[in-house]
């Protein structure tokens, strides 16, 4: 639907929370609560929490645009009544309910409300976890209390047994600053997801929890968590023992990954004197570059994709003709290849020369391949 169907006051608040929230907020299921006006005054907010998402429905009333909205939580959180709990708490005076003094003309109103509700929801889930009758969980929580930013949640479903999930932030590093020139809007984070099944009795040798490394999506352009091997969980180990080893390994590999950006940049710069200035290149992460080259009258593009593990892994190469097209009118391309001489111990200039020498020979085979493909398409 058109954006102008959203009342201006609501649109301003939605725009503010999407652009200013310290986490990624998605707006879904916009609809109208009044058939006569057709104005979109109801929607769902999808908010990240504990490496998962919670969805809250927000209902304004376009007929009474200055009234505070209603917020409806998920069916699984029917016992979450944030401001009932606050009214009984000792700090109730310091925590003000924004809905009691709602100012719909203030574009930050919804932003303030959602941030406060998320903090209250975090405390609500922590209290639920602490009430679980499980000795092992109680011990694990006591060993992690000093770590900041931990989120936890209790998952209970009819179809499967109860389990407790932890989202443990790792590394006290400003990853945004480590990558020079990064334009990431949100702080880049790496978490360890820890999932414990809920039991009733303490075991002298409990099984290892389910572990998974999770990062911000944008960080995958620098560091692949899928290629990181988690250290083994030893019998009788607890999280307080496991985390220091994990963080030491992780910090070392992330620093190597950041250093690899400069190594990739040097390779692109070393290729430029041989192929000419790239017609396209990734200026931030230096993951790829494209050069215009020729052999006689045959002109073609050389696509160079440089892996995150460079120089341990060599770049992949693909040629694309500027003069030959298939039956769909698309440029003919060669298969991606890494079948050329390579050693991670070579100087960058030697790597560039080996790539150039390979292309000098391979372009003749590629030209023949293009001509044969054209004949088959006739």
């Amino acid at each position: 639907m058109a954006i102008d169907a959203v009342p201006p006051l609501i649109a301003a608040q939605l725009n503010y929370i999407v652009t200013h929230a310290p986490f990624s907020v998605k707006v879904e299921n916009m609809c109208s609560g009044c058939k006569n006006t057709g104005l979109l005054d109801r929607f769902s907010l999808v908010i990240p929490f504990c490496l998962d998402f919670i969805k809250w429905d927000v209902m304004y009333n376009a007929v009474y645009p200055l009234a505070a909205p209603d917020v409806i939580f998920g069916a699984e959180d029917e016992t979450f009544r944030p401001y009932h709990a606050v009214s009984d708490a000792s700090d109730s005076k310091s925590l003000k309910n924004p809905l009691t003094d709602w100012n719909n003309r203030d574009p930050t109103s919804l932003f303030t409300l959602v941030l406060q509700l998320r903090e209250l929801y975090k405390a609500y889930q922590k209290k639920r976890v602490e009430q679980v009758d499980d000795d092992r969980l109680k011990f694990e929580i006591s060993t992690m209390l000093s770590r900041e930013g931990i989120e936890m949640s209790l998952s209970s479903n009819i179809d499967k047994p109860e389990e407790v999930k932890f989202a443990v932030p790792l590394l006290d590093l400003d990853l945004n600053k480590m990558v020079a020139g990064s334009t990431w809007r949100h702080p880049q984070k790496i978490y360890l997801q820890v999932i414990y099944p809920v039991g009733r009795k303490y075991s002298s040798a409990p099984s290892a929890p389910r572990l998974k490394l999770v990062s911000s999506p944008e960080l995958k352009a620098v560091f692949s968590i899928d290629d990181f091997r988690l250290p083994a969980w030893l019998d009788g180990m607890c999280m307080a023992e496991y985390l220091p080893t994990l963080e030491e390994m992780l910090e070392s590999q992330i620093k190597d990954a950041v250093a690899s950006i400069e190594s990739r940049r040097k390779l692109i710069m070393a290729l430029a004197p041989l192929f000419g200035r790239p017609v396209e290149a990734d200026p931030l992460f230096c993951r790829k570059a494209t050069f215009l080259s020729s052999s006689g009258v045959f002109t073609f593009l050389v696509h160079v994709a440089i892996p995150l593990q460079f120089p341990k892994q060599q770049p992949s190469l693909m040629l694309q003709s500027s003069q030959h097209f298939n039956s769909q009118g698309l440029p003919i391309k060669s298969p991606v290849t890494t079948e050329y001489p390579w050693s991670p111990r070579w100087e960058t200039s030697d790597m560039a020369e080996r790539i150039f020498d390979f292309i000098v020979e391979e372009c003749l085979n590629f030209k023949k391949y293009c001509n044969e493909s054209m004949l088959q398409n006739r």
Side-chain angles (χ1 to χ4, degrees):
M1 292 187 177
I3 190 65
D4 55 7
V6 182
L9 295 178
I10 298 177
Q13 294 189 35
L14 282 175
N15 179 67
Y16 192 91
I17 191 172
V18 169
T19 57
H20 289 78
F23 41 79
S24 178
V25 178
K26 294 182 180 179
V27 182
E28 295 182 351
N29 307 324
M30 296 202 70
C31 63
S32 175
C34 181
K35 296 181 180 179
N36 297 328
T37 65
L39 295 174
L40 305 181
D41 56 359
R42 301 183 179 192
F43 50 86
S44 299
L45 292 179
V46 181
I47 302 164
F49 177 76
C50 202
L51 302 179
D52 204 340
F53 295 93
I54 49 178
K55 181 182 287 189
W56 294 339
D57 296 327
V58 181
M59 304 173 65
Y60 284 86
N61 189 333
V63 178
Y64 302 99
L66 299 183
D70 291 323
V71 180
I72 301 176
F73 308 112
E76 67 279 6
D77 294 317
E78 60 181 358
T79 59
F80 176 48
R81 300 177 181 179
Y83 294 114
H84 284 269
V86 169
S87 62
D88 299 330
S90 59
D91 61 346
S92 59
K93 292 183 179 180
S94 61
L95 189 61
K96 184 179 180 181
N97 182 348
L99 295 171
T100 59
D101 190 22
W102 187 259
N103 181 3
N104 216 21
R105 298 186 185 279
D106 181 359
T108 69
S109 294
L110 183 62
F111 169 85
T112 303
L113 174 64
V114 169
L115 259 60
Q116 187 177 104
L117 286 175
R118 190 184 183 281
E119 284 300 308
L120 292 170
Y121 185 78
K122 179 180 175 180
Y124 160 76
Q125 284 290 354
K126 182 174 182 289
K127 185 176 181 180
R128 291 186 70 205
V129 171
E130 291 173 339
Q131 291 173 342
V132 172
D133 184 16
D134 185 301
D135 293 336
R136 182 188 186 186
L137 276 173
K138 293 180 183 297
F139 173 73
E140 291 286 6
I141 292 173
S142 69
T143 65
M144 293 190 290
L145 286 177
S146 61
R147 297 184 70 96
E148 294 185 0
I150 292 180
E151 295 182 349
M152 60 190 78
S153 66
L154 174 64
S155 174
S156 55
N157 194 301
I158 299 177
D159 302 328
K160 59 180 182 180
E162 284 186 330
E163 56 186 21
V164 170
K165 298 180 181 180
F166 291 91
V168 184
L170 303 174
L171 301 178
D172 188 18
L173 297 174
D174 190 334
L175 299 176
N176 293 51
K177 289 185 178 180
M178 289 181 67
V179 180
S182 68
T183 56
W184 295 323
R185 187 161 63 89
H186 298 294
Q188 298 303 297
K189 299 287 186 180
I190 299 179
Y191 297 88
L192 180 67
Q193 183 183 67
V194 188
I195 302 179
Y196 288 98
V198 174
R200 294 293 176 183
K201 295 181 179 180
Y202 183 79
S203 172
S204 59
S207 60
R210 302 204 307 273
L211 304 173
K212 182 181 179 181
L213 210 58
V214 181
S215 75
S216 310
E218 298 92 337
L219 191 60
K220 294 180 181 180
V222 177
F223 178 72
S224 175
I225 60 168
D226 296 330
D227 296 329
F228 181 85
R229 297 186 63 177
L230 288 169
W233 181 280
L234 304 178
D235 291 342
M237 182 175 273
C238 68
M239 287 304 300
E241 297 171 304
Y242 183 80
L243 292 175
T245 302
L246 169 61
E247 290 189 308
E248 183 179 348
M249 293 173 56
L250 192 58
E251 182 174 354
S252 174
Q253 293 194 27
I254 287 179
K255 289 181 177 179
D256 288 345
V258 172
S260 179
I261 297 176
E262 187 58 29
S263 298
R264 296 194 294 268
R265 189 187 313 277
K266 289 179 179 178
L267 177 65
I268 294 175
M269 293 173 64
L271 289 169
L274 302 172
F275 287 101
R277 185 174 180 178
V279 294
E280 185 178 9
D282 173 9
L284 183 55
F285 305 115
C286 304
R287 294 283 307 278
K288 58 186 178 180
T290 298
F291 300 88
L292 179 64
S293 191
S294 63
S295 175
V297 296
F298 177 50
T299 59
F300 55 95
L301 296 173
V302 181
H303 299 287
V304 183
I306 312 175
L308 291 176
Q309 293 76 20
F310 177 84
K312 294 179 181 179
Q313 293 183 9
Q314 66 195 97
S316 58
L317 308 174
M318 182 180 69
L319 306 185
Q320 174 183 324
S321 176
S322 301
Q323 300 164 288
H324 303 82
F325 302 88
N326 60 22
S327 57
Q328 286 79 39
L330 300 175
I332 295 177
K333 300 178 181 180
S334 73
V336 175
T337 184
T338 55
E339 298 298 324
Y340 60 91
W342 182 263
S343 172
R345 293 180 292 276
W346 289 341
E347 295 293 331
T348 306
S349 58
D350 294 331
M351 296 176 180
E353 288 176 3
R354 293 301 183 99
I355 292 175
F356 180 76
D357 292 343
F358 172 77
I359 295 298
V360 168
E361 295 183 8
E362 185 63 21
C363 72
L364 301 178
N365 298 327
F366 180 56
K367 180 181 179 181
K368 181 180 178 181
Y369 169 76
C370 290
N371 290 332
E372 291 174 351
S373 298
M374 292 289 289
L375 290 174
Q376 293 175 1
N377 292 333
R378 290 181 179 176

